Amino acid sequence: MAQEEPRSAGGVADDATQRDAAIRGWDWAVLPEGSTSSRFQAPSGGLAVVTMGKPQNPRVVLIPGATGSKEDFAVMMPELAEAGFYVLSYDLAGQYQSAGAGPENLVPPRRHYDYELFVNDFIAVLESGEGPSHVVGYSFAAILAQIAYSQRPELFRSLTLLSCPPLTGQCFRGVRRIGRFTGWANGRVGAAVMIWAIRRNVNKVSPNRLRFVRDRFRFTRRQSVRDIYELMKHVPDLRRAIAAAKVPKFVAVGEHDLWPLRLHRQFAQSIGARISVYRGGHSPSETSPHQFGRDLLAMYAADT
């Protein structure tokens, strides 16, 4: 059974809520002080990586979604590192500073980004560490995390699905208001609409955030976004495999997410995961990072 946690419950929760309210001026283009940037040679090419903390500590791997980047976790990373974890995030192949990674680098080369490419990169990152990792997959990357778990469960210490599409198959069909129109859109159209909405600031993000996400599009390869849109119309059904997982499972979502909360709660129940709902939309790691980080640390502490 899924257990739903309150948004805040006094004490530490109230402090986290207040700190979240104070991040509107955060400069998202700047990685946290004390972080280290590097390149990881994955099967699809070089991936841009940022780490914080001591490498000998338990590892937390944070994977951003489509049109995103490692900076989407920048507010959370210092507190996770200070709590005794080695935190790692990377840009997906074709995205932002990993724009050079792609299917043309595979052996043999391929024409499109596909699930195998993204999952093999992900598994390579997990294999580079010592022992299993706590994993957080954001949106499209939450699908990748489920696939990777189904293939290599020994690499996971816990599984957190952040703003995870709660439907299998053509997952956009359940999106609020426009879901019924998404079936006809191919990758080119779907990616164009996605990028248009972000550029036009439909989600009403802060000026600093908007400046960064617009600049990020100068690097992200449109082909990767188009191919990801197509992949999200064919989400594999891994609910049975994830329900059987013995690791801690956590579904995190904003109360105004793209998909209705009803679907997220049904999804969490189907995989036996705890669920927390935060104020905001599709990006709790950006709008409620201290609350989300607090809840991750509570789960990690219970696992020790």
Side-chain angles (χ1 to χ4, degrees), residues 13 30 47-48 60 116 167 210 218 222 292:
V30 179
L47 304 179
V60 179
E116 184 180 11
L167 298 174
L210 181 61
R218 294 194 301 115
R222 295 299 188 273
F292 180 42

Side-chain angles (χ1 to χ4, degrees), residues 85 132 134 156-158 246-248 296-304:
F85 293 92
H134 295 290
F156 289 72
R157 190 164 178 173
S158 68
K246 302 302 181 184
V247 299
L296 287 177
L297 289 175
M299 179 176 67
Y300 300 160
D303 183 51
T304 58

Side-chain angles (χ1 to χ4, degrees), residues 9 26 67-68 77 104 108 118 121 129 146 167 169 177-178 196 206 237 240 287 303:
W26 181 273
T67 75
M77 294 183 72
E104 69 278 3
F118 290 115
D121 282 357
Q146 294 175 76
L167 298 174
R177 294 186 293 276
I178 65 169
W196 175 86
S206 69
D237 187 353
R240 182 173 297 180
T287 55
D303 183 51

Side-chain angles (χ1 to χ4, degrees), residues 64-72 91-92 95-96 138 209 216 220:
T67 75
S69 67
K70 56 200 175 301
E71 286 78 7
D72 298 344
D91 297 345
L92 292 177
Q95 308 284 299
Y96 194 33
Y138 177 12
R209 178 68 188 173
R216 192 163 57 185
T220 295

